[in-house]
Amino acid sequence: MILKSQVEWALHCCAILAGLPDGSYLSTKALAELHGLPKEYLSKALQSLSQASLVETTLGPSGGYRLARPSSEISFLDIVEAVEGKARSFTCTNIRENNPCRPAGYCDSKPCAVARVMWEADEAWRNTLRRVRLSDLVDTLSEEVPPDIWRSTFEWVLKRAG
Amino acid sequence: MILKSQVEWALHCCAILAGLPDGSYLSTKALAELHGLPKEYLSKALQSLSQASLVETTLGPSGGYRLARPSSEISFLDIVEAVEGKARSFTCTNIRENNPCRPAGYCDSKPCAVARVMWEADEAWRNTLRRVRLSDLVDTLSEEVPPDIWRSTFEWVLKRAG
DNA sequence: GAATTAAGGATATATGTTATCCGCGAATGG
DNA sequence: CCATTCGCGGATAACATATATCCTTAATTC
């Protein structure tokens, strides 16, 4: 059970977009260069964010991406689910139905007890991600990243933002 | 991010093994028939349980598997990790190191803030699974599965247990 | 000694992830 | 108006992992 690397990419990109001044956009090219990622493939992750309405886009030179709403209203779960999908990590194939001791056509009233536990764990995972906002990440980064790196990074970004 | 179907298989098999009388074993063949699963491939899942010392085995006719300890001392997490591995679902590739604004050779004091959140969610998932014991599953099943199916299933199993 | 079992290696197939390339239409700037 | 820049989506390929089967070996039972 391993998340796509696109999840990591999307989270880092959103953290950068959160620091953009209002009304400006940042292109895939800039985001790819900043993180050392393959531009074409990163583009797929950003398209996922766009389809989930987490970001807005504009075309042409000086076009690119910006957040569709304040970073305090975007959760980790929003971003993770946009890229990874909303499907649960455990899929129940109902193997209890193969039990040869079952009467034919017997119908279960509840989902399988095994699945219920696995889904509960899945919910715990999602709840943790739901409680963390993108703005929390930005706060943490602004505390932990050395001020000179933080500053020069956003100078680098602003030079490329449209 | 999807768990292997072997996780589902292992959990169901352990639930059956938990109902075996002391000292008896149940073979891969019986477990595969009971759940309608491919015998050879299910065998790989059971081997994982064996390597994790969750079950004990014996060879020859009337051989097979039994739990290595009481079902109250085996957690869902034990079984899931035996099959799925203990690696975290999120792997941090440290793309912050690719930031062109970083001084060469700069070393981070902490793991990436993005990774820390993702790992926290992973821990929440694991904690949920850690808190549920195999004996809890058996309790739930014995309440929910209709008594006649429950009984006939274990008659079926006992007929094949060595 | 014959049958049965778990264990593990080798191999094949299917699916999913990672990645690249291309063409389209929209927007920008000259 | 035109060349460039962009997001978007489709097609495709390389690679890894999951799923599945087959076979051999050694241990055990009867």
Side-chain angles (χ1 to χ4, degrees), chain A residues 19-153:
Chain A
L20 281 184
D22 276 8
S24 71
Y25 295 84
L26 194 62
S27 71
T28 305
K29 181 161 174 282
L31 286 167
E33 278 179 26
L34 179 61
H35 296 109
L37 300 174
K39 179 170 98 81
E40 307 276 1
Y41 192 36
L42 173 62
S43 166
K44 304 295 183 184
L46 298 173
Q47 285 174 39
S48 298
L49 296 179
S50 176
Q51 284 178 345
S53 301
L54 298 181
V55 298
E56 291 170 346
T57 67
T58 188
L59 294 176
S62 80
Y65 294 88
R66 72 178 177 197
L67 293 185
R69 31 181 218 267
S71 62
S72 59
E73 295 172 22
I74 296 178
S75 69
F76 262 59
L77 184 63
D78 290 328
I79 300 169
V80 170
E81 283 189 337
V83 172
E84 190 69 29
K86 300 194 176 191
R88 288 190 272 222
S89 58
F90 180 88
T91 55
C92 175
T93 62
N94 247 320
I95 58 177
R96 59 180 174 175
E97 287 182 359
N98 302 329
N99 184 334
C101 304
R102 282 191 154 213
Y106 173 78
C107 220
D108 298 288
S109 54
K110 288 187 181 185
C112 177
V114 168
R116 296 207 310 271
V117 172
M118 297 305 295
W119 292 340
E120 187 191 332
D122 197 275
E123 263 311 298
W125 180 77
R126 289 185 148 78
N127 280 334
T128 301
L129 296 179
R130 209 183 326 260
R131 282 193 291 263
V132 182
R133 298 170 297 177
L134 179 55
S135 57
D136 297 330
L137 173 63
V138 175
D139 291 347
T140 303
L141 289 173
S142 67
E143 285 172 22
E144 291 183 1
V145 174
D148 50 333
I149 299 185
W150 184 260
R151 201 182 328 107
S152 59
T153 298

Side-chain angles (χ1 to χ4, degrees), chain B:
Chain B
M1 186 187 59
I2 291 180
L3 292 166
K4 317 190 209 195
S5 54
Q6 286 192 339
V7 170
E8 182 185 13
W9 304 355
L11 287 166
H12 280 276
C13 286
C14 285
I16 295 296
L17 294 181
L20 282 183
D22 276 7
S24 71
Y25 294 85
L26 194 61
S27 70
T28 305
K29 182 161 175 281
L31 286 166
E33 277 179 26
L34 179 61
H35 296 109
L37 301 174
K39 178 171 97 82
E40 307 276 2
Y41 193 35
L42 173 62
S43 166
K44 304 294 183 184
L46 298 173
Q47 284 173 40
S48 297
L49 296 178
S50 176
Q51 284 178 345
S53 301
L54 298 181
V55 298
E56 292 171 345
T57 66
T58 188
L59 295 175
S62 80
Y65 294 88
R66 72 178 177 196
L67 294 185
R69 33 182 216 267
S71 62
S72 59
E73 295 172 22
I74 296 179
S75 70
F76 263 59
L77 184 62
D78 290 328
I79 299 168
V80 171
E81 284 190 337
V83 172
E84 191 68 30
K86 300 194 177 190
R88 289 190 272 221
S89 58
F90 180 88
T91 54
C92 175
T93 61
N94 247 320
I95 59 178
R96 59 180 174 176
E97 287 182 359
N98 302 327
N99 184 335
C101 304
R102 282 192 154 212
Y106 174 78
C107 221
D108 298 288
S109 55
K110 287 187 181 185
C112 177
V114 168
R116 296 207 310 270
V117 172
M118 296 305 296
W119 291 341
E120 187 191 332
D122 196 275
E123 264 310 299
W125 180 76
R126 288 186 148 76
N127 279 334
T128 301
L129 296 179
R130 209 185 325 262
R131 281 192 292 263
V132 182
R133 297 170 297 178
L134 179 56
S135 56
D136 298 329
L137 173 64
V138 175
D139 290 347
T140 303
L141 289 174
S142 67
E143 284 171 22
E144 292 183 0
V145 173
D148 49 332
I149 298 184
W150 184 260
R151 200 182 329 105
S152 59
T153 299
F154 273 99
E155 284 171 11
W156 189 98
V157 164
L158 287 179
K159 207 178 300 177
R160 286 156 181 86

